Amino acid sequence: MKTHQVLRIFLLTLSLATVAGCSSEHNKEGTGEYLDDSVITTKVKAAILGEKTLSVAEINVETFKGVVQLSGFVNSQQDINTAMRLTRDVGGVLSVKNDMRVK
């Protein structure tokens, strides 16, 4: 069931990437960058989904040029630490911004 959810997230992300523009500016991504960021986002979501103590529905993941931003509400500081560690361990992540809050 979890694999099915990860596959669904990946396919949605991939389909969104096909409509991305090709130009790249300081605050915009080119198609290749968008695809890379989509893959990173999918991998981070899969890592969070695989962690029993975390809920992928409560943690939002956004990636821009390799910088991952995590936001949402979690149950404890330990959950924040776990999500941050999992995200840092994903290949291609340059840095992680934490905007998560404890409920």
Side-chain angles (χ1 to χ4, degrees):
M1 183 170 163
K2 288 183 180 184
T3 305
H4 202 75
Q5 289 174 331
V6 171
L7 181 60
R8 218 176 319 149
I9 290 169
F10 179 74
L11 291 176
L12 175 63
T13 304
L14 189 61
S15 66
L16 289 173
T18 60
V19 296
C22 293
S23 66
S24 179
E25 298 175 21
H26 176 68
N27 61 348
K28 294 183 181 178
E29 294 177 300
T31 306
E33 291 169 320
Y34 185 83
L35 284 172
D36 291 345
D37 286 344
S38 297
V39 170
I40 291 170
T41 298
T42 301
K43 287 181 179 181
V44 170
K45 287 181 178 183
I48 291 170
L49 184 66
E51 180 63 39
K52 296 177 202 172
T53 61
L54 301 177
S55 172
V56 74
E58 293 178 344
I59 300 174
N60 300 312
V61 180
E62 294 182 33
T63 307
F64 183 73
K65 296 189 177 187
V67 178
V68 179
Q69 179 177 351
L70 301 176
S71 60
F73 295 93
V74 295
N75 294 321
S76 67
Q77 181 63 45
Q78 180 60 37
D79 288 348
I80 291 173
N81 296 343
T82 301
M84 294 287 290
R85 178 183 48 79
L86 290 170
T87 302
R88 280 190 213 103
D89 289 346
V90 170
V93 172
L94 300 177
S95 67
V96 183
K97 292 183 180 180
N98 173 31
D99 285 329
M100 293 178 286
R101 303 287 182 254
V102 176
K103 294 180 193 177

